Amino acid sequence: MIRPSAIIPIHTFTPILRSDGKPRPWHCAVLYSQATALGKNCIEFLSSVQGIAVGENTPYKIEPESDFTVPIHADRRNIPSVLIEIRQDLVSDSSGQRRWAAMLAETIAECVQRDA
């Protein structure tokens, strides 16, 4: 069995917080639990992209009681893991999807290598 060098789930979040109607200021967010170095590397890398606001463990946090991928598949097996969230309005069309796919591919390649 090949052991993964990192586990990186990708999710999206709504541009407006439903409970209070306030716009969320982040373009993306990096959520991490035990993989602090990988999380910080990803935040630093994404923050270096002009015009990108990056949240750290926000708008959500990794919670062992309610999350599965990071706590179970990664943290319990000592595999570095971050969950990357992208604001939904930024990936609602094909050009946004291509832009973020390219940016995340570069981020993941660079940050996993740095963390190794």
Side-chain angles (χ1 to χ4, degrees), residues 4 16 36-37 43 59 66 81-82 85 98 110 115:
I16 296 174
T36 305
I43 291 164
S66 59
S81 182
V82 295
E85 295 265 0
R98 282 192 298 275
E110 174 69 24
D115 192 54

Side-chain angles (χ1 to χ4, degrees), residues 3-68:
R3 182 178 171 86
S5 56
I7 296 175
I8 304 176
I10 312 262
H11 293 193
T12 63
F13 61 87
T14 59
I16 296 174
L17 185 60
R18 290 183 188 133
S19 64
D20 65 10
K22 292 183 181 178
R24 291 176 164 165
W26 320 281
H27 297 98
C28 64
V30 177
L31 287 59
Y32 58 89
S33 180
Q34 294 178 10
T36 305
L38 179 57
K40 298 284 186 184
N41 286 342
C42 289
I43 291 164
E44 179 183 335
F45 189 88
L46 287 165
S47 294
S48 73
V49 176
Q50 183 69 30
I52 300 292
V54 183
E56 180 174 354
N57 285 323
T58 191
Y60 311 107
K61 292 182 181 178
I62 302 294
E63 301 285 350
E65 303 80 31
S66 59
D67 290 311
F68 192 78

